[in-house]
Amino acid sequence: MSTPCNVVVLISGSGSNLQALIDSLAGADTPAVIRAVISNRADAYGLERARQAGIETRFLDHKSYADRESFDAALIQAIDGFNADLVLLAGFMRILSADFVRHYQGRLLNIHPSLLPKYKGLHTHQRALEAGDAEHGCSVHFVTEELDGGPLVVQAAIPVESDDTPETLAQRVHVQEHVIYPLAMRWFAEGRVRLGEQGATLDGELLPASGHSYRT
Ligand code: GAR
């Protein structure tokens, strides 16, 4: 088999998406290897998940850097130390500098808990409920300088039920996140997904603006 795709995952919290990524690589035929997990929070449970899976971890405290640019420069240095082919933001709750985003142009993916372009930013489940949406979901997209705004790779939608709360919605969206993020990682690692001039492509074909629509 050809050399596997080196992946570095950035987290800030629980790391349930990280766990799904790790679990998806458990079989023999794996096109990707998670080389390292980096957190900006020392107490992120995802660091423990990584250790248990035998993956190298790094903690980089953003509070000990003078500004966003110097923290991001240190982050780049750490990531590049692992020869990353792909960087995955998995609940990494930091706004990234333009330099960082440009450095990883075309090899930086994020997962976001809404059907982008709806509900960029925070409190997505509550906002979907308040808007009375019939559908909600999650998206994987290439990261560009626009916050939560880059070309979409894949989305999964779920119906909103009349008795849903932000918590119940979040739970069901999480289940979908844990399916589509490993899928997007695999597609990238296999060379099937790329960022082209006009947007994300799958097997050389331009994806629709909403990305591939994943259905369970
Ligand atoms: C996930 O729901 C992810 O979509 C969200 O943070 C959560 C992390 O959960 N990311 C964002 O909101 C980014 N804008 P996890 O730590 O259990 O994977």
Side-chain angles (χ1 to χ4, degrees), residues 11-19 49 89-93 110-114 121-122 124-125 138-139 147-148 170 173-174 177-178:
I11 60 163
S12 300
S14 141
S16 72
N17 276 287
L18 166 68
Q19 190 67 56
R49 295 180 192 269
L89 307 178
F92 187 62
M93 302 313 258
N110 181 42
I111 185 143
H112 184 76
S114 77
L122 299 175
T124 58
H125 310 299
C138 49
S139 309
L147 179 70
D148 295 329
V173 168
H174 253 122
E177 292 188 34
H178 299 162

Side-chain angles (χ1 to χ4, degrees), residues 101-161:
V101 173
R102 272 190 232 116
H103 185 81
Y104 295 108
Q105 161 98 358
R107 52 195 181 110
L108 179 59
L109 293 175
N110 181 42
I111 185 143
H112 184 76
S114 77
L115 295 172
L116 290 170
K118 279 190 163 182
Y119 315 130
K120 297 173 180 181
L122 299 175
H123 311 300
T124 58
H125 310 299
Q126 186 164 345
R127 287 157 70 198
L129 279 179
E130 282 169 5
D133 290 355
E135 273 199 323
H136 182 47
C138 49
S139 309
V140 175
H141 64 97
F142 279 103
V143 176
T144 59
E145 287 173 47
E146 187 194 345
L147 179 70
D148 295 329
L152 287 158
V153 173
V154 52
Q155 286 193 323
I158 55 158
V160 178
E161 309 293 348

Side-chain angles (χ1 to χ4, degrees), residues 58-80:
R58 294 280 186 279
F59 160 54
L60 248 69
D61 186 0
H62 58 270
K63 294 195 282 302
S64 58
Y65 292 84
D67 52 28
R68 189 176 303 284
E69 282 65 31
S70 49
F71 173 72
D72 282 7
L75 197 53
I76 288 176
Q77 203 170 30
I79 295 168
D80 287 355

Side-chain angles (χ1 to χ4, degrees), residues 8-12 18 36-40 75 79 87-93 96 100 108:
V8 171
V9 184
L10 306 189
I11 60 163
S12 300
L18 166 68
V37 172
I38 302 177
S39 172
N40 66 317
L75 197 53
I79 295 168
V87 179
L88 298 178
L89 307 178
F92 187 62
M93 302 313 258
L96 297 164
F100 184 95
L108 179 59

